[in-house]
Amino acid sequence: MVNKHYPPEFKADAVALYRSRPGATIAQIADDLGVNRETLRSWVRLDDQRRGEAGRPAATAKLQPAGTVEEENAELRRRVRELEEERDILRKAARYFGRGDALVTRFQFVADHSQRYGVKRLCQLLGIARSSFYYWRSTAPDRAAREAADAALAVRIRAVQAAHDGTYGAPRITAELNDSGLPVNRKKVARVMRRHRIRGLRLRRRVQTTIPDQAAAKAPDLIGRDFTAPGVNQRYVGDITYLPVGERGFLYLATVIDLHSRRLAGWAIADHMRTDLVIDALTAAQRTRGSLDGAIMHTDHGAQYTAKSFADACTAAGVRQSMSKIGSSADNALAESFNATFKRETLQGRRAFTDEHEARLTAFRWLHRYNTVRRHSRLGHQSPINYENTTHTASTTLTRAA
Protein backbone atom coordinates (compact mmCIF):
# COMPACT_ATOMS: atom_id res chain seq x y z
CA MET A 1 0.00 0.00 0.00
CA VAL A 2 1.34 3.47 -0.93
CA ASN A 3 2.20 5.63 2.06
CA LYS A 4 0.16 8.84 1.94
CA HIS A 5 2.02 10.58 4.77
CA TYR A 6 5.58 11.50 3.84
CA PRO A 7 7.80 13.57 6.13
CA PRO A 8 9.24 16.83 4.75
CA GLU A 9 12.72 15.35 4.65
CA PHE A 10 11.57 12.53 2.36
CA LYS A 11 9.83 14.97 0.02
CA ALA A 12 12.92 17.16 -0.18
CA ASP A 13 15.19 14.15 -0.82
CA ALA A 14 12.88 12.86 -3.53
CA VAL A 15 12.85 16.23 -5.32
CA ALA A 16 16.61 16.57 -4.93
CA LEU A 17 17.10 13.11 -6.41
CA TYR A 18 14.95 14.03 -9.41
CA ARG A 19 16.88 17.26 -9.97
CA SER A 20 20.27 15.48 -9.60
CA ARG A 21 19.46 13.21 -12.56
CA PRO A 22 18.73 15.43 -15.55
CA GLY A 23 18.04 12.52 -17.89
CA ALA A 24 15.48 10.89 -15.60
CA THR A 25 11.74 11.41 -15.76
CA ILE A 26 9.37 11.94 -12.88
CA ALA A 27 7.81 8.56 -13.64
CA GLN A 28 11.18 6.78 -13.31
CA ILE A 29 12.07 8.48 -10.05
CA ALA A 30 8.59 7.88 -8.62
CA ASP A 31 8.77 4.18 -9.52
CA ASP A 32 12.23 3.87 -7.94
CA LEU A 33 11.00 5.42 -4.70
CA GLY A 34 7.64 3.63 -4.71
CA VAL A 35 5.55 6.80 -4.64
CA ASN A 36 2.70 7.92 -6.86
CA ARG A 37 3.88 9.73 -9.96
CA GLU A 38 1.43 12.60 -9.54
CA THR A 39 2.44 12.96 -5.92
CA LEU A 40 6.09 13.40 -6.89
CA ARG A 41 5.04 15.79 -9.67
CA SER A 42 3.17 17.94 -7.13
CA TRP A 43 6.26 17.99 -4.86
CA VAL A 44 8.37 19.22 -7.77
CA ARG A 45 5.83 21.96 -8.61
CA LEU A 46 5.75 23.13 -5.01
CA ASP A 47 9.53 23.20 -4.96
CA ASP A 48 9.51 25.23 -8.19
CA GLN A 49 7.14 27.68 -6.55
CA ARG A 50 9.40 28.00 -3.52
CA ARG A 51 12.36 28.57 -5.76
CA GLY A 52 10.44 31.29 -7.63
CA GLU A 53 9.42 32.97 -4.39
CA ALA A 54 13.03 32.84 -3.23
CA GLY A 55 13.94 35.12 -6.20
CA ARG A 56 11.37 37.80 -5.30
CA PRO A 57 12.16 41.04 -3.42
CA ALA A 58 13.20 40.87 0.23
CA ALA A 59 9.78 41.94 1.39
CA THR A 60 8.23 38.68 0.26
CA ALA A 61 11.29 36.54 1.09
CA LYS A 62 10.54 36.90 4.80
CA LEU A 63 7.71 34.41 4.34
CA GLN A 64 10.11 31.56 3.23
CA PRO A 65 11.07 28.78 5.71
CA ALA A 66 14.57 28.89 7.19
CA GLY A 67 15.79 25.70 5.46
CA THR A 68 16.58 25.87 1.75
CA VAL A 69 16.63 23.17 -0.87
CA GLU A 70 20.42 23.54 -1.15
CA GLU A 71 20.83 22.80 2.53
CA GLU A 72 18.55 19.80 2.23
CA ASN A 73 20.54 18.57 -0.76
CA ALA A 74 23.77 18.90 1.20
CA GLU A 75 22.26 16.91 4.05
CA LEU A 76 21.08 14.26 1.60
CA ARG A 77 24.54 13.96 0.09
CA ARG A 78 26.06 13.66 3.55
CA ARG A 79 23.65 10.89 4.45
CA VAL A 80 24.38 9.06 1.20
CA ARG A 81 28.09 9.20 1.97
CA GLU A 82 27.46 7.78 5.44
CA LEU A 83 25.39 4.92 4.06
CA GLU A 84 28.01 4.09 1.46
CA GLU A 85 30.70 4.09 4.12
CA GLU A 86 28.63 1.87 6.40
CA ARG A 87 28.09 -0.52 3.49
CA ASP A 88 31.86 -0.69 2.96
CA ILE A 89 32.42 -1.31 6.68
CA LEU A 90 29.94 -4.19 6.76
CA ARG A 91 31.47 -5.73 3.65
CA LYS A 92 34.88 -5.72 5.29
CA ALA A 93 33.41 -7.14 8.51
CA ALA A 94 31.80 -10.02 6.63
CA ARG A 95 35.24 -11.33 5.69
CA TYR A 96 36.19 -11.38 9.37
CA PHE A 97 33.05 -13.31 10.37
CA GLY A 98 34.14 -16.29 8.26
CA ARG A 99 37.03 -16.95 10.66
CA GLY A 100 35.09 -18.55 13.51
CA ASP A 101 33.75 -17.08 16.76
CA ALA A 102 31.54 -14.14 15.72
CA LEU A 103 31.99 -12.10 18.93
CA VAL A 104 35.77 -12.42 19.01
CA THR A 105 36.04 -11.57 15.32
CA ARG A 106 33.82 -8.51 15.83
CA PHE A 107 36.16 -7.30 18.55
CA GLN A 108 39.13 -7.90 16.30
CA PHE A 109 37.49 -6.02 13.45
CA VAL A 110 36.86 -2.99 15.67
CA ALA A 111 40.48 -3.08 16.87
CA ASP A 112 41.83 -3.27 13.32
CA HIS A 113 39.65 -0.41 11.95
CA SER A 114 39.14 1.87 14.94
CA GLN A 115 41.73 4.41 13.75
CA ARG A 116 39.80 5.03 10.55
CA TYR A 117 36.17 4.77 11.62
CA GLY A 118 36.22 5.18 15.39
CA VAL A 119 35.30 2.70 18.13
CA LYS A 120 31.86 4.15 18.86
CA ARG A 121 30.64 3.98 15.28
CA LEU A 122 32.01 0.48 14.66
CA CYS A 123 30.48 -0.90 17.87
CA GLN A 124 27.09 0.56 16.93
CA LEU A 125 27.24 -0.95 13.45
CA LEU A 126 28.30 -4.40 14.70
CA GLY A 127 25.92 -4.48 17.65
CA ILE A 128 28.46 -4.81 20.47
CA ALA A 129 28.93 -2.85 23.67
CA ARG A 130 31.94 -0.54 23.81
CA SER A 131 32.66 -1.64 27.37
CA SER A 132 32.91 -5.24 26.20
CA PHE A 133 35.32 -4.25 23.45
CA TYR A 134 37.53 -2.25 25.81
CA TYR A 135 37.60 -5.17 28.26
CA TRP A 136 38.57 -7.56 25.44
CA ARG A 137 41.36 -5.22 24.37
CA SER A 138 42.68 -4.79 27.91
CA THR A 139 42.97 -8.57 28.38
CA ALA A 140 44.81 -9.11 25.08
CA PRO A 141 48.24 -9.68 26.74
CA ASP A 142 46.81 -12.46 28.94
CA ARG A 143 45.20 -14.14 25.94
CA ALA A 144 48.41 -13.92 23.96
CA ALA A 145 50.29 -15.57 26.82
CA ARG A 146 47.73 -18.38 27.01
CA GLU A 147 47.85 -18.93 23.26
CA ALA A 148 51.65 -19.09 23.35
CA ALA A 149 51.49 -21.62 26.19
CA ASP A 150 48.91 -23.67 24.28
CA ALA A 151 51.09 -23.62 21.16
CA ALA A 152 54.07 -24.85 23.19
CA LEU A 153 51.91 -27.59 24.72
CA ALA A 154 50.71 -28.59 21.25
CA VAL A 155 54.34 -29.10 20.22
CA ARG A 156 54.86 -31.43 23.20
CA ILE A 157 51.63 -33.27 22.40
CA ARG A 158 52.68 -33.81 18.79
CA ALA A 159 56.02 -35.15 19.99
CA VAL A 160 54.24 -37.70 22.20
CA GLN A 161 51.95 -38.61 19.29
CA ALA A 162 54.92 -39.10 17.00
CA ALA A 163 56.68 -41.32 19.55
CA HIS A 164 53.61 -43.54 19.76
CA ASP A 165 52.70 -43.69 16.08
CA GLY A 166 49.88 -41.18 16.45
CA THR A 167 47.78 -43.57 18.51
CA TYR A 168 47.51 -41.85 21.89
CA GLY A 169 44.46 -39.86 22.93
CA ALA A 170 44.19 -37.19 25.63
CA PRO A 171 44.34 -39.51 28.71
CA ARG A 172 47.55 -41.30 27.69
CA ILE A 173 49.18 -38.11 26.44
CA THR A 174 48.37 -36.48 29.79
CA ALA A 175 50.05 -39.35 31.67
CA GLU A 176 53.07 -39.18 29.36
CA LEU A 177 53.47 -35.43 29.87
CA ASN A 178 53.09 -35.68 33.64
CA ASP A 179 55.73 -38.41 33.84
CA SER A 180 58.09 -36.29 31.73
CA GLY A 181 57.89 -33.45 34.26
CA LEU A 182 55.14 -31.30 32.72
CA PRO A 183 52.15 -31.17 35.12
CA VAL A 184 48.97 -30.75 33.10
CA ASN A 185 45.39 -31.99 33.40
CA ARG A 186 43.49 -34.07 30.85
CA LYS A 187 40.88 -31.41 30.07
CA LYS A 188 43.55 -28.92 29.02
CA VAL A 189 45.27 -31.52 26.86
CA ALA A 190 41.94 -32.38 25.22
CA ARG A 191 41.19 -28.69 24.60
CA VAL A 192 44.58 -28.04 23.01
CA MET A 193 44.23 -31.17 20.88
CA ARG A 194 40.86 -29.97 19.60
CA ARG A 195 42.20 -26.47 18.97
CA HIS A 196 45.20 -27.74 17.02
CA ARG A 197 43.33 -30.63 15.40
CA ILE A 198 45.42 -33.39 16.95
CA ARG A 199 43.49 -36.66 17.05
CA GLY A 200 44.11 -40.20 18.23
CA LEU A 201 42.80 -43.22 16.40
CA ARG A 202 39.23 -44.52 16.54
CA LEU A 203 37.75 -47.98 16.48
CA ARG A 204 37.05 -49.82 13.25
CA ARG A 205 34.36 -52.43 12.66
CA ARG A 206 35.38 -55.90 13.62
CA VAL A 207 34.94 -59.05 11.57
CA GLN A 208 33.73 -62.26 13.21
CA THR A 209 36.49 -64.82 13.77
CA THR A 210 34.69 -66.97 16.32
CA ILE A 211 33.17 -70.03 14.66
CA PRO A 212 31.58 -72.20 17.37
CA ASP A 213 31.50 -75.97 17.16
CA GLN A 214 28.05 -76.92 18.49
CA ALA A 215 29.04 -80.56 19.03
CA ALA A 216 32.25 -79.84 20.98
CA ALA A 217 32.58 -80.11 24.75
CA LYS A 218 32.05 -76.86 26.67
CA ALA A 219 33.81 -75.60 29.78
CA PRO A 220 32.01 -73.63 32.54
CA ASP A 221 32.39 -69.87 32.85
CA LEU A 222 34.85 -69.34 35.73
CA ILE A 223 35.24 -65.60 35.11
CA GLY A 224 31.68 -64.26 35.09
CA ARG A 225 32.70 -61.02 33.36
CA ASP A 226 35.08 -60.22 36.21
CA PHE A 227 38.16 -59.32 34.21
CA THR A 228 40.44 -58.85 37.20
CA ALA A 229 42.86 -61.00 39.15
CA PRO A 230 44.46 -60.53 42.58
CA GLY A 231 47.92 -61.32 41.22
CA VAL A 232 49.87 -62.19 38.09
CA ASN A 233 49.71 -65.61 36.44
CA GLN A 234 46.32 -66.50 37.89
CA ARG A 235 43.68 -65.66 35.28
CA TYR A 236 44.05 -65.23 31.51
CA VAL A 237 41.83 -64.49 28.53
CA GLY A 238 42.49 -65.64 25.00
CA ASP A 239 41.09 -64.78 21.59
CA ILE A 240 41.78 -64.73 17.85
CA THR A 241 41.62 -61.70 15.55
CA TYR A 242 42.32 -61.22 11.87
CA LEU A 243 44.96 -59.07 10.13
CA PRO A 244 43.79 -57.99 6.65
CA VAL A 245 46.61 -58.26 4.10
CA GLY A 246 46.50 -56.94 0.54
CA GLU A 247 43.25 -57.23 -1.37
CA ARG A 248 41.85 -60.51 -0.02
CA GLY A 249 44.43 -62.13 2.24
CA PHE A 250 44.43 -62.53 6.02
CA LEU A 251 46.77 -63.43 8.84
CA TYR A 252 45.44 -64.44 12.25
CA LEU A 253 46.68 -63.43 15.69
CA ALA A 254 46.00 -65.49 18.82
CA THR A 255 46.65 -63.86 22.21
CA VAL A 256 46.89 -64.80 25.90
CA ILE A 257 46.43 -61.82 28.26
CA ASP A 258 46.99 -61.71 32.03
CA LEU A 259 43.95 -60.23 33.78
CA HIS A 260 45.99 -58.75 36.63
CA SER A 261 48.48 -56.67 34.66
CA ARG A 262 46.91 -56.81 31.17
CA ARG A 263 50.25 -58.16 30.00
CA LEU A 264 50.32 -60.03 26.72
CA ALA A 265 51.89 -63.18 28.10
CA GLY A 266 51.78 -65.13 24.84
CA TRP A 267 50.85 -64.68 21.21
CA ALA A 268 51.16 -66.37 17.83
CA ILE A 269 50.55 -65.34 14.19
CA ALA A 270 49.72 -67.67 11.30
CA ASP A 271 47.96 -67.69 7.95
CA HIS A 272 45.31 -70.09 9.30
CA MET A 273 42.89 -70.44 12.24
CA ARG A 274 43.56 -74.05 13.07
CA THR A 275 43.89 -75.19 16.67
CA ASP A 276 47.69 -75.13 16.39
CA LEU A 277 47.49 -71.32 16.40
CA VAL A 278 45.94 -71.06 19.88
CA ILE A 279 48.12 -73.87 21.22
CA ASP A 280 51.22 -71.93 20.07
CA ALA A 281 49.97 -68.82 21.90
CA LEU A 282 49.39 -70.87 25.08
CA THR A 283 52.87 -72.38 24.80
CA ALA A 284 54.37 -68.89 24.41
CA ALA A 285 52.61 -67.76 27.60
CA GLN A 286 53.96 -70.80 29.39
CA ARG A 287 57.50 -69.85 28.34
CA THR A 288 56.95 -66.26 29.53
CA ARG A 289 55.68 -67.26 32.97
CA GLY A 290 57.75 -70.40 33.43
CA SER A 291 54.62 -72.22 34.57
CA LEU A 292 50.86 -71.76 34.18
CA ASP A 293 49.97 -74.39 36.76
CA GLY A 294 46.68 -73.53 38.49
CA ALA A 295 45.83 -70.62 36.18
CA ILE A 296 42.45 -70.12 34.49
CA MET A 297 42.28 -69.69 30.71
CA HIS A 298 39.06 -67.95 29.62
CA THR A 299 38.04 -67.97 25.94
CA ASP A 300 35.00 -67.91 23.68
CA HIS A 301 33.41 -71.00 22.12
CA GLY A 302 35.43 -70.90 18.93
CA ALA A 303 36.17 -74.27 17.40
CA GLN A 304 39.87 -73.83 18.16
CA TYR A 305 39.25 -73.46 21.89
CA THR A 306 36.72 -76.28 22.14
CA ALA A 307 39.01 -78.70 20.27
CA LYS A 308 40.27 -81.73 22.17
CA SER A 309 43.90 -80.94 21.29
CA PHE A 310 43.63 -77.53 22.97
CA ALA A 311 41.99 -79.10 26.02
CA ASP A 312 44.88 -81.56 26.20
CA ALA A 313 47.40 -78.69 25.98
CA CYS A 314 45.64 -76.89 28.84
CA THR A 315 45.64 -80.04 30.96
CA ALA A 316 49.33 -80.60 30.29
CA ALA A 317 50.08 -77.01 31.36
CA GLY A 318 47.94 -77.29 34.50
CA VAL A 319 45.45 -74.73 33.15
CA ARG A 320 41.71 -74.80 33.88
CA GLN A 321 39.53 -73.88 30.94
CA SER A 322 36.73 -71.30 31.19
CA MET A 323 34.36 -70.32 28.40
CA SER A 324 31.93 -67.48 27.78
CA LYS A 325 28.38 -67.91 26.56
CA ILE A 326 27.86 -68.57 22.87
CA GLY A 327 27.35 -65.34 20.92
CA SER A 328 28.09 -63.04 23.89
CA SER A 329 31.07 -60.80 23.17
CA ALA A 330 30.64 -59.11 26.56
CA ASP A 331 31.72 -62.35 28.27
CA ASN A 332 35.16 -61.95 26.70
CA ALA A 333 35.16 -58.17 26.46
CA LEU A 334 38.74 -57.61 27.53
CA ALA A 335 40.15 -59.71 24.70
CA GLU A 336 37.75 -58.05 22.25
CA SER A 337 38.92 -54.62 23.41
CA PHE A 338 42.56 -55.62 23.03
CA ASN A 339 41.97 -56.81 19.47
CA ALA A 340 40.19 -53.59 18.53
CA THR A 341 42.99 -51.48 19.94
CA PHE A 342 45.64 -53.55 18.16
CA LYS A 343 44.02 -53.14 14.74
CA ARG A 344 43.15 -49.49 15.26
CA GLU A 345 46.72 -48.55 16.16
CA THR A 346 48.51 -50.71 13.62
CA LEU A 347 46.31 -50.11 10.59
CA GLN A 348 45.68 -46.42 11.47
CA GLY A 349 42.70 -46.06 9.17
CA ARG A 350 43.95 -48.25 6.33
CA ARG A 351 41.85 -51.13 5.09
CA ALA A 352 44.73 -53.62 5.08
CA PHE A 353 48.47 -54.12 5.43
CA THR A 354 50.43 -53.96 2.17
CA ASP A 355 51.74 -57.50 2.42
CA GLU A 356 52.40 -60.32 4.89
CA HIS A 357 55.92 -59.12 5.66
CA GLU A 358 54.68 -55.68 6.71
CA ALA A 359 51.83 -57.19 8.75
CA ARG A 360 54.16 -59.45 10.72
CA LEU A 361 56.77 -56.76 11.42
CA THR A 362 54.15 -54.17 12.40
CA ALA A 363 52.42 -56.65 14.71
CA PHE A 364 55.74 -57.71 16.23
CA ARG A 365 56.70 -54.11 17.03
CA TRP A 366 53.29 -53.13 18.44
CA LEU A 367 52.82 -56.25 20.57
CA HIS A 368 56.20 -55.78 22.27
CA ARG A 369 55.63 -52.05 22.76
CA TYR A 370 52.22 -52.86 24.25
CA ASN A 371 53.94 -54.70 27.10
CA THR A 372 56.88 -52.38 27.62
CA VAL A 373 55.87 -48.86 26.56
CA ARG A 374 52.17 -48.37 25.84
CA ARG A 375 50.24 -46.87 28.75
CA HIS A 376 47.11 -48.69 29.89
CA SER A 377 44.22 -46.70 31.36
CA ARG A 378 43.26 -49.50 33.79
CA LEU A 379 46.81 -49.58 35.17
CA GLY A 380 47.04 -45.93 36.14
CA HIS A 381 48.53 -45.24 32.72
CA GLN A 382 51.47 -47.54 33.27
CA SER A 383 52.66 -50.18 30.83
CA PRO A 384 51.82 -53.81 31.79
CA ILE A 385 55.41 -54.81 32.60
CA ASN A 386 56.01 -51.62 34.57
CA TYR A 387 52.80 -52.27 36.49
CA GLU A 388 53.89 -55.81 37.29
CA ASN A 389 57.26 -54.56 38.53
CA THR A 390 55.59 -51.87 40.63
CA THR A 391 53.06 -54.19 42.24
CA HIS A 392 55.72 -56.86 42.82
CA THR A 393 57.97 -54.30 44.57
CA ALA A 394 55.07 -53.06 46.69
CA SER A 395 54.00 -56.57 47.70
CA THR A 396 57.60 -57.49 48.57
CA THR A 397 57.92 -54.37 50.73
CA LEU A 398 54.68 -55.18 52.59
CA THR A 399 55.81 -58.77 53.17
CA ARG A 400 59.12 -57.66 54.63
CA ALA A 401 57.39 -55.08 56.82
CA ALA A 402 55.07 -57.78 58.15
Side-chain angles (χ1 to χ4, degrees), residues 15 18-19 41-54 69:
V15 172
Y18 166 69
R19 296 191 186 284
R41 198 183 308 278
S42 66
W43 294 345
V44 173
R45 284 197 298 267
L46 288 174
D47 184 66
D48 288 340
Q49 293 174 6
R50 283 195 296 268
R51 285 171 176 267
E53 293 173 356
V69 173

Side-chain angles (χ1 to χ4, degrees), residues 81-92:
R81 287 195 300 271
E82 285 183 356
L83 292 175
E84 290 177 345
E85 191 172 67
E86 290 178 1
R87 178 198 61 191
D88 293 338
I89 291 172
L90 293 175
R91 283 178 177 175
K92 293 177 182 178

Side-chain angles (χ1 to χ4, degrees), residues 61-74:
K62 294 180 181 179
L63 300 176
Q64 289 291 330
T68 66
V69 173
E70 287 76 11
E71 291 174 346
E72 293 174 351
N73 287 345

Side-chain angles (χ1 to χ4, degrees), residues 53-300:
E53 293 173 356
R56 295 178 183 178
T60 60
K62 294 180 181 179
L63 300 176
Q64 289 291 330
T68 66
V69 173
E70 287 76 11
E71 291 174 346
E72 293 174 351
N73 287 345
E75 177 63 21
L76 177 62
R77 288 192 293 270
R78 183 192 66 79
R79 181 56 183 159
V80 169
R81 287 195 300 271
E82 285 183 356
L83 292 175
E84 290 177 345
E85 191 172 67
E86 290 178 1
R87 178 198 61 191
D88 293 338
I89 291 172
L90 293 175
R91 283 178 177 175
K92 293 177 182 178
R95 292 195 290 269
Y96 275 64
F97 297 158
R99 300 179 183 178
D101 190 312
L103 184 58
V104 171
T105 50
R106 288 182 186 188
F107 288 154
Q108 190 62 56
F109 180 82
V110 173
D112 292 344
H113 297 82
S114 59
Q115 292 296 325
R116 180 175 178 179
Y117 301 112
V119 172
K120 180 179 179 180
R121 187 180 185 190
L122 291 173
C123 288
Q124 288 175 343
L125 280 176
L126 299 181
I128 57 178
R130 275 185 290 167
S131 59
S132 299
F133 166 74
Y134 287 125
Y135 174 80
W136 174 85
R137 191 168 65 177
S138 68
T139 56
D142 294 337
R143 288 196 306 277
R146 285 196 298 270
E147 290 177 1
D150 287 352
L153 179 59
V155 172
R156 296 288 296 272
I157 291 173
R158 292 187 190 278
V160 173
Q161 280 283 66
H164 295 276
D165 303 327
T167 60
Y168 274 13
R172 290 188 175 88
I173 290 176
T174 303
E176 192 80 15
L177 293 175
N178 285 326
D179 283 357
S180 66
L182 178 63
V184 64
N185 63 55
R186 184 183 61 80
K187 291 184 178 179
K188 183 175 183 179
V189 170
R191 176 178 59 79
V192 172
M193 290 179 69
R194 286 193 302 270
R195 176 74 180 275
H196 292 266
R197 298 182 180 180
I198 305 172
R199 298 181 179 89
L201 294 178
R202 296 187 177 183
L203 288 173
R204 292 165 52 92
R205 288 185 178 180
R206 66 179 297 272
V207 174
Q208 183 179 6
T209 54
T210 301
I211 304 174
D213 182 354
Q214 302 295 339
K218 307 298 189 294
D221 185 352
L222 304 178
I223 295 295
R225 297 188 182 182
D226 178 14
F227 299 108
T228 63
V232 299
N233 200 22
Q234 296 182 20
R235 308 171 86 186
Y236 293 90
V237 294
D239 199 11
I240 301 175
T241 191
Y242 74 99
L243 284 64
V245 178
E247 291 297 326
R248 299 181 180 179
F250 291 95
L251 291 177
Y252 299 93
L253 169 68
T255 55
V256 178
I257 304 172
D258 192 308
L259 287 181
H260 176 73
S261 63
R262 303 301 198 265
R263 179 175 180 175
L264 183 62
W267 55 275
I269 294 179
D271 58 1
H272 61 80
M273 286 199 301
R274 295 191 294 271
T275 307
D276 291 344
L277 176 64
V278 296
I279 292 176
D280 289 344
L282 182 67
T283 302
Q286 193 172 13
R287 286 197 302 268
T288 298
R289 293 306 192 189
S291 173
L292 297 177
D293 189 36
I296 295 174
M297 179 66 178
H298 183 76
T299 65
D300 57 31

